[in-house]
Amino acid sequence: MIRKFSSFRFREVLTISFPIMLGNLLQVFYNAVDSYFLGKLGKEALSAPSITMFISNFVIVFGLAFTMAGTTVISQYYGYNPRDTQHLKRLASQVFALNTVLSLLITAVGYALTPSLLILLQVPKGLTFEYTGTYMSIIFLTMPFFFLDLTCKSVFQGMKDPKTPLLIQLFSVTVNLILDPLLIFGLWMFPPMGVLGLLPWRLS
């Protein structure tokens, strides 16, 4: 009896955790695609995501903390009473509101302080400074959308549905892979936008 119960719990944990692991791998691939195509512009452009990563990872920690807390609260109540959709919606809206306020604050402060952050990081003047400044500004401008993604993951994973966020992320990575070269290099009917080519579709 104990063996059957342990086996069942293990399968359940694996079912929930495997899509989350795949999602994390997709996030790595997401950033790798940006680095690959930016590298075609030169070493100065390639350095932009590497330098920005130190700042963005520090900022994302706060979003992850609130998201993990939200996932825990939602999953606890979902396990207690999964039919109480009104309360679950209320919990989800609270996590959404908190992450929205936090992301807007980070966007405003981060975008305004981007030049100062580059100086603090001792980024060399010239193309490296220009590309990194542009890329970091894009990252800060898209923080509300990133935090929205974290909130969606929190809600779905809290209700034992990690597959939906995985499918959304897979779609996002596919769009990124297609549009990055088109917008960065100006292929087909698009004008060449360089590093700015990362911005338009991220705001959609």
Side-chain angles (χ1 to χ4, degrees), residues 66-93:
F66 288 115
T67 299
M68 292 176 64
T71 302
T72 301
V73 173
I74 292 173
S75 62
Q76 286 178 339
Y77 194 83
Y78 180 80
Y80 173 72
N81 190 1
R83 296 183 179 181
D84 189 356
T85 57
Q86 290 299 321
H87 190 73
L88 287 171
K89 289 179 180 178
R90 193 177 305 115
L91 290 174
S93 64

Side-chain angles (χ1 to χ4, degrees), residues 1-41:
M1 181 69 179
I2 296 178
R3 184 175 300 176
K4 289 183 179 180
F5 177 77
S6 300
S7 176
F8 168 74
R9 301 304 297 180
F10 175 76
R11 288 198 302 268
E12 185 177 3
V13 170
L14 187 62
T15 301
I16 296 175
S17 63
F18 188 67
I20 297 176
M21 290 187 290
L22 287 180
N24 292 333
L25 288 176
L26 285 176
Q27 184 63 42
V28 174
F29 183 72
Y30 195 103
N31 296 327
V33 169
D34 283 354
S35 298
Y36 174 79
F37 289 114
L38 286 178
K40 300 295 183 180
L41 298 177

Side-chain angles (χ1 to χ4, degrees), residues 4-203:
K4 289 183 179 180
F5 177 77
S6 300
S7 176
F8 168 74
R9 301 304 297 180
F10 175 76
R11 288 198 302 268
E12 185 177 3
V13 170
L14 187 62
T15 301
I16 296 175
S17 63
F18 188 67
I20 297 176
M21 290 187 290
L22 287 180
N24 292 333
L25 288 176
L26 285 176
Q27 184 63 42
V28 174
F29 183 72
Y30 195 103
N31 296 327
V33 169
D34 283 354
S35 298
Y36 174 79
F37 289 114
L38 286 178
K40 300 295 183 180
L41 298 177
K43 60 182 181 181
E44 293 85 1
L46 180 59
S47 64
S50 301
I51 297 172
T52 302
M53 179 183 64
F54 295 104
I55 302 297
S56 62
N57 285 350
F58 174 78
V59 170
I60 289 170
V61 165
F62 296 97
L64 289 174
F66 288 115
T67 299
M68 292 176 64
T71 302
T72 301
V73 173
I74 292 173
S75 62
Q76 286 178 339
Y77 194 83
Y78 180 80
Y80 173 72
N81 190 1
R83 296 183 179 181
D84 189 356
T85 57
Q86 290 299 321
H87 190 73
L88 287 171
K89 289 179 180 178
R90 193 177 305 115
L91 290 174
S93 64
Q94 291 174 355
V95 176
F96 172 77
L98 183 61
N99 272 349
T100 298
V101 172
L102 179 62
S103 65
L104 291 175
L105 179 63
I106 289 173
T107 296
V109 175
Y111 186 80
L113 294 181
T114 292
S116 300
L117 290 173
L118 296 182
I119 295 173
L120 181 64
L121 294 173
Q122 298 183 348
V123 178
K125 295 290 184 179
L127 283 178
T128 301
F129 193 95
E130 178 184 343
Y131 282 140
T132 305
T134 302
Y135 188 85
M136 189 177 295
S137 298
I138 291 172
I139 294 299
F140 279 122
L141 286 174
T142 56
M143 276 296 167
F145 300 93
F146 182 80
F147 275 60
L148 175 61
D149 177 65
L150 289 179
T151 303
C152 291
K153 289 179 181 178
S154 171
V155 173
F156 283 112
Q157 291 171 3
M159 295 189 295
K160 298 172 63 174
D161 180 16
K163 295 181 180 179
T164 299
L166 176 63
L167 293 176
I168 294 174
Q169 193 163 18
L170 180 60
F171 174 77
S172 177
V173 168
T174 304
V175 173
N176 182 45
L177 181 62
I178 295 172
L179 291 187
D180 262 9
L182 295 179
L183 297 175
I184 291 174
F185 307 119
L187 303 178
W188 192 34
M189 56 184 293
F190 300 96
M193 301 178 67
V195 177
L196 282 174
L198 296 168
L199 180 60
W201 71 266
R202 289 183 184 232
L203 295 180

